Amino acid sequence: MVDSTQKQPGETVFGYLMLLLSVFLFWQAYQISGFEALSSPGAFPLAAAGIMVISSCVFVVKNARRQSPSQVVDSFFTHILPPLVAVMIALILVYAVVLDSLGFIPSTFVFLLIAIHLLHRRSLVSSLVITTGALILIYVIFRLVFQIILPEGIVPEREILAWLGNLFGAEGN
């Protein structure tokens, strides 16, 4: 059973993050149209964000009165942010940053290879096979079936697709 007088790992950080997010959302809601009237476009978002700010403040104040558990840092990394989760978050951030410059194919290949190798915990050859298959499937579905334009980057995708089209006798209409 959880002791309601003691803070759980991550509660304080979560409370402050919610307060910051609530204040940011309140400011964004105010930017819509200020507070001109109850029927203004920003009235409902402003009210919702205001409730969030008040609730977050109440939570932070009540949480400040509660007792902290011993070994806060250890319990945070055990319960809230284990090393594997931290590595995956960092990997996703790096992927998001390099996606535009490197392009979809190489950045997704490297991202999937590292993620699958870390999470699947099999041989590198197995990870390479799974990554290649997954990338081909993703590419075919999104680029060829749904015709979504993916970041090209360093791979000359249009030229490759044109070459494949010429190779298989597809003529442009």
Side-chain angles (χ1 to χ4, degrees):
M1 187 168 166
V2 176
D3 183 10
S4 64
T5 60
Q6 258 197 353
K7 295 179 194 178
Q8 295 301 310
E11 270 189 302
T12 303
V13 173
F14 179 77
Y16 283 113
L17 287 176
M18 286 306 299
L19 181 59
L20 284 172
L21 175 67
S22 301
V23 169
F24 174 75
L25 291 175
F26 187 83
W27 176 252
Q28 292 298 309
Y30 183 78
Q31 294 296 321
I32 292 173
S33 65
F35 187 68
E36 299 167 359
L38 288 176
S39 61
S40 67
F44 184 74
L46 199 58
I51 291 170
M52 286 179 64
V53 169
I54 292 168
S55 299
S56 298
C57 286
V58 168
F59 178 80
V60 166
V61 169
K62 281 186 177 181
N63 199 32
R65 295 181 184 147
R66 292 172 56 206
Q67 185 179 354
S68 292
S70 60
Q71 301 171 339
V72 174
V73 174
D74 290 342
S75 62
F76 177 78
F77 286 111
T78 302
H79 292 83
I80 307 301
L81 191 64
L84 186 59
V85 173
V87 168
M88 289 306 297
I89 290 170
L91 188 60
I92 291 168
L93 289 173
V94 169
Y95 174 71
V97 169
V98 301
L99 181 61
D100 244 0
S101 58
L102 284 182
F104 178 78
I105 294 173
S107 58
T108 302
F109 182 81
V110 171
F111 170 77
L112 285 176
L113 181 63
I114 294 170
I116 289 171
H117 193 65
L118 280 173
L119 298 173
H120 195 249
R121 298 178 193 254
R122 298 283 190 254
S123 70
L124 185 58
V125 173
S126 172
S127 298
L128 278 167
V129 169
I130 294 170
T131 298
T132 304
L135 183 58
I136 290 169
L137 184 66
I138 292 167
Y139 186 82
V140 166
I141 290 172
F142 286 98
R143 180 66 177 104
L144 302 179
V145 174
F146 293 129
Q147 297 182 351
I148 295 172
I149 305 298
L150 301 169
E152 192 170 302
I154 61 174
V155 175
E157 180 185 332
R158 281 176 263 172
E159 289 82 7
I160 293 171
L161 288 176
W163 179 79
L164 286 173
N166 290 335
L167 183 67
F168 293 111
E171 295 182 24
N173 294 338

